Structures are given as C-alpha cells and as structure tokens.
Amino acid sequence: MTALERRPRLAVDLRKRPRRLRSSPAMRSLVREHDVRLSALVQPLFVVDPGQATGEIASMPGIERYAVDDAVRECRELAALGIRAVLLFGIPDHKDAYASSAHDPAGVVQRAIIAIKAGVPDMLVIADLCNCEYTDHGHCGILDERGDVDNDATLDLLGRTALSYAMAGVDVVAPSDMMDGRVAYLRETLDASDFTSIPIMSYAVKFASAFYGPFRDAADSTPQFGDRRSYQMDPPNEREALREAMLDLDEGADFLIVKPALAYMDLIRAVREVSDVPVACYNVSGEYAMVKAAAQNGWIDEARIVDEMLTGFVRAGADIVITYFAKSYARRLRARG
Ligand code: PBG
C-alpha cells in the first residue's frame, strides 16, 4: 500500500493546515507573535545593612543578598548583559514598631540608590516602597490598638520614605503596601517637594499570596502574628482587582503592577484592557523557587520553562516583567548568540 492509499477518508476540510506555518525554525520565527524584550525585564535586588548576612538565599538558589558595594557590581554585570532596570529591597540593621529606618536618609536603600546611580548611571533604579522589612512586627505599616494596620498613619510613613528615596536620586518609586489612597498621597507629597517627574509604579493588584514565602525569608519580613489579609487582596476577586487598578489610575499611577503573575494571568490581561499606562507583572519568589527546585531535581528543563513563562506573561499583556530570572535569561540569550 502506498502512503496515499493508507490515508483514511476524512470528512474534514484539510485545505486549511496550520502546520504549514510550523515547518522550520525560520518559518516559526517569521510568524512568532510575541517576543520577550530584555529591556522590559526588571531584576529585583536585595541590599543589606552591614550587620545582615549576605550571600545566596536558601529558598532562592542563584539569588543573593548584597552589601551596597556588591549591589553596584551586580548592576554593572546586569547592564553588560542588557538588563536596564532593577527593583531594590532593603534589609536594615534596625527594626522597630514605626519602621524608622525606612525613611532614614542614610538607610540601606537610600545608600544603594546613591551608589548605583553614581556607579552605573544608566541603570534605572526602582525602589520598592513598603514597611514590612523595617517593622519589628513584620506588618506593612503602623499598627492600631487592635493590631490591624492603620491605613492613614501608614501613608505618612510612606510619604517620608518616598521623599528620602527621591532625594537619594531614585528613578521610580513602587509602593507595595496596599494602603488605600497611597498613590494620591505619594503624588502630592512628591510634587510638593518638586519631585514632579518621579513616576509611581503602583502594586495596584496585589494578592495575599503564599507565593511570597521565599521572599519573606530573603527580606526577613514575615509577620510576627496574623497575616496580610486585611490589606492585601483576596485571591478569588477579579472585579475588585479592576477596581483597585482604576482607583490607582485615578490617583495618578504611572504604571500598574499585577502580583503574583503565574496564577493571575487573567488579571494581567484584564488590567491591560482597562488601563492606558504600562502594566507590569511580578513573577514572585515562590514562582522562582518552584522552578528552581524542580530543575535541580532534573524534573523540568529550566531554560525552556523560563522562556515559556516569560513569553506567557508578555502574551497575557504584560508590558514589563519583574522577575528573578532576568539575569539568567539575559545570560542565556547572550550564550545563544
Ligand atoms: C513587600 C513586598 C513583598 C513582596 C514584594 N514587596 C512581600 C509581601 O508582601 O509579603 C513579595 C515579592 C516576592 O515574593 O518575590 N510588601
């Protein structure tokens, strides 16, 4: 029997064959709809005060905590690989109930901003703006008598910290605390001190998520009691996510972040569709740790998984991807040539 004779008689119309456009690498790249741009990736960096441990984070293999000088060196390496933006998190020597070291002009993030802008001026420095790394109780703001985070008192703290970052020369501030009204408050505070051109990248849609577990090891920011559910969002809620996004747009946010990313791709798309500012997604620590753990066991192919994940975020509508994989991804692109 010839191959032709072996063919089943089909009732389907096979004039249309999508496989024609998958026939070779050149064909596939000709029709490829989305690409991950290196310049759209943001590498998070943990910077520590002198009394804090540096080195690799146990639950995040390949990710380190850096002293300020080493963070500058790291930025130089990132720049050489084509990564143009970093997101700073600080781990201070001193924590208290009022997060005082968050707005210390000589605090760890403030020093890192100054050092990075001096050493690698073209690197875009985004500073995460939150209190949980600076409070002794690990919550994202000042507590009221009931032990809940006091929204309006926390705004004042955020404003002070944002100003100290601005004075240090930060390029973008990224509030991640989830207090109501903080984008408007920060905009007013920055503008009143003539920092009208510093954009606000708002963690507008941020869920109370178990995917932040490894980060809290990295940043020593696990709440000492309770959880963050009275300020971070409840994962099942989509309409509320859009409401948060619209409020932040109204308040003057220049970028919106959706976080976490993998389990929330529908919301990346939904926020993209209702907003006219760039949308970022945050591929968080737990998403990183899961991939690394499976790869170390030989259960998955890390490079292909990461390509697929980053492409998925972009296809879902993310203009910007904040990811711990930024550096390794850039390195791999370079090696492929
Ligand atoms: C600070 C903050 C957190 C993350 C970013 N900013 C932790 C949290 O909200 O508990 C998580 C980032 C990650 O998991 O990679 N509030």
Side-chain angles (χ1 to χ4, degrees):
M1 256 202 323
T2 67
L4 207 61
E5 287 163 343
R6 261 200 308 273
R7 284 185 182 170
R9 286 167 165 274
L10 297 174
V12 292
D13 175 359
L14 279 175
R15 283 174 301 179
K16 292 180 182 164
R17 290 178 182 269
R19 288 184 55 190
R20 286 187 197 113
L21 303 191
R22 298 177 201 140
S23 58
S24 67
M27 183 68 87
R28 291 192 291 274
S29 69
L30 180 71
V31 301
R32 190 156 294 145
E33 297 176 39
H34 295 283
D35 265 316
V36 178
R37 287 178 301 116
L38 277 190
S39 52
L41 300 184
V42 178
Q43 174 76 48
L45 284 188
F46 297 100
V47 289
V48 303
D49 258 339
Q52 304 303 304
T54 55
E56 196 174 65
I57 298 152
S59 52
M60 301 179 73
I63 301 297
E64 290 184 46
R65 302 184 0 154
Y66 296 104
V68 168
D69 287 354
D70 294 326
V72 177
R73 243 188 306 275
E74 180 64 12
C75 284
R76 221 167 262 131
E77 276 184 37
L78 288 167
L81 288 167
I83 301 293
R84 311 182 66 168
V86 292
L87 172 61
L88 298 184
F89 293 94
I91 296 110
D93 278 345
H94 173 75
K95 300 187 191 228
D96 58 33
Y98 306 101
S100 339
S101 39
H103 51 83
D104 179 352
V108 59
V109 169
Q110 290 82 352
R111 280 184 283 115
I113 294 167
I114 293 168
I116 294 168
K117 293 308 297 184
V120 196
D122 292 338
M123 182 61 75
L124 192 82
V125 177
I126 309 168
D128 184 89
L129 179 56
C130 195
N131 297 303
C132 57
E133 300 105 294
Y134 304 90
T135 50
D136 50 10
H137 46 68
H139 279 287
C140 299
I142 293 181
L143 299 181
D144 62 20
E145 28 335 307
R146 298 189 331 273
D148 193 11
V149 173
D150 181 335
N151 194 89
D152 303 7
T154 299
L155 294 182
D156 172 61
L157 257 183
L158 292 170
R160 286 200 233 177
T161 306
L163 273 185
S164 70
Y165 290 170
M167 285 186 277
V170 81
D171 292 303
V172 181
V173 292
S176 67
D177 51 283
M178 289 301 279
M179 295 304 114
D180 294 330
R182 92 287 174 117
V183 174
Y185 186 83
L186 290 170
R187 188 69 275 156
E188 267 179 37
T189 307
L190 289 168
D191 289 357
S193 293
D194 269 347
F195 291 116
T196 52
S197 48
I198 296 187
I200 298 175
M201 182 183 279
S202 173
Y203 289 77
V205 178
K206 177 174 177 183
F207 290 92
S209 171
F211 283 102
Y212 309 149
F215 173 93
R216 293 183 189 169
D217 290 344
D220 289 330
S221 65
T222 308
Q224 296 305 298
F225 62 89
D227 53 41
R228 304 207 200 289
R229 286 175 219 252
S230 80
Y231 42 105
Q232 298 181 349
M233 286 182 55
D234 197 21
N237 293 357
E238 175 182 3
R239 277 197 310 273
E240 189 188 351
L242 294 180
R243 182 156 188 258
E244 283 282 10
M246 298 312 290
L247 281 172
D248 283 10
L249 280 178
D250 273 358
E251 291 179 28
D254 300 282
F255 304 82
L256 300 176
I257 305 179
V258 176
K259 174 187 177 188
L262 272 183
Y264 299 86
M265 300 270 240
D266 54 331
L267 296 178
I268 299 173
R269 163 63 48 190
V271 169
R272 170 67 289 159
E273 280 171 6
V274 298
S275 74
D276 53 4
V277 299
V279 173
C281 69
Y282 196 143
N283 176 211
V284 299
S285 59
E287 299 169 353
Y288 179 83
M290 293 192 306
V291 171
K292 292 306 263 192
Q296 285 181 347
N297 271 298
W299 295 339
I300 57 168
D301 177 337
E302 177 177 330
R304 292 188 52 205
I305 293 272
V306 172
D307 280 359
E308 220 170 302
M309 274 179 19
L310 300 186
T311 306
F313 300 142
V314 170
R315 194 188 58 240
D319 302 294
I320 298 162
V321 180
I322 305 167
T323 177
Y324 300 95
F325 288 114
K327 186 181 187 187
S328 56
Y329 182 79
R331 207 184 256 145
R332 217 159 38 240
L333 279 198
R334 169 136 320 176
R336 268 181 218 154

